[in-house]
Amino acid sequence: MDESSGFLVESGPNGSIVLNPGDSLDLEEHPDIAMRRGYCCGMDGEWGPNLACACGAIIATLYSDCYQVQELRLQPDAVERCE
C-alpha cells in the first residue's frame, strides 16, 4: 500500500500509477521489438517499459498476456500527476 495515495502497489517502481490497459491514451509500442516480447496473447512487460507516448518517450509498461494480471503501469519518473 502506498501511504501517500492509498493505492495498492503490487510491484514496479515506487510511485507507479496503475491503470486498466484500456485506459491508455494513444500509447505506441516500444520501437525496439525485443522490448515488446510476450507469449500467446500480448506483451508480458518482464523486460521493463514497453510503451511510448507520441513524442517517443518511453513512459509505461503494459502487462497484457493471458497468464498474468492485465495492467498498465506508468513510470513515475516519466509522467506527472496533475490535480
Side-chain angles (χ1 to χ4, degrees), residues 22-34:
D23 291 337
S24 67
L25 301 171
D26 298 323
L27 297 179
E28 302 170 1
E29 293 181 342
H30 196 291
D32 181 351
I33 194 167

Side-chain angles (χ1 to χ4, degrees), residues 1 3 7-8 19-20 22 31 35 52-53 57 61 67 71-72 74 80 82:
M1 173 80 66
E3 298 300 323
F7 292 113
L8 178 64
L19 304 173
N20 180 301
M35 296 304 292
C53 73
T61 306
Y67 72 93
E71 62 185 24
L72 175 70
L74 300 177
E80 184 175 298
C82 297

Side-chain angles (χ1 to χ4, degrees), residues 39-56:
Y39 294 95
C40 62
C41 297
M43 291 191 276
D44 63 20
E46 290 182 16
W47 288 5
N50 53 21
L51 294 178
C53 73
C55 72

Side-chain angles (χ1 to χ4, degrees), residues 1-16:
M1 173 80 66
D2 177 44
E3 298 300 323
S4 64
S5 68
F7 292 113
L8 178 64
V9 177
E10 181 179 301
S11 63
N14 188 26
S16 294

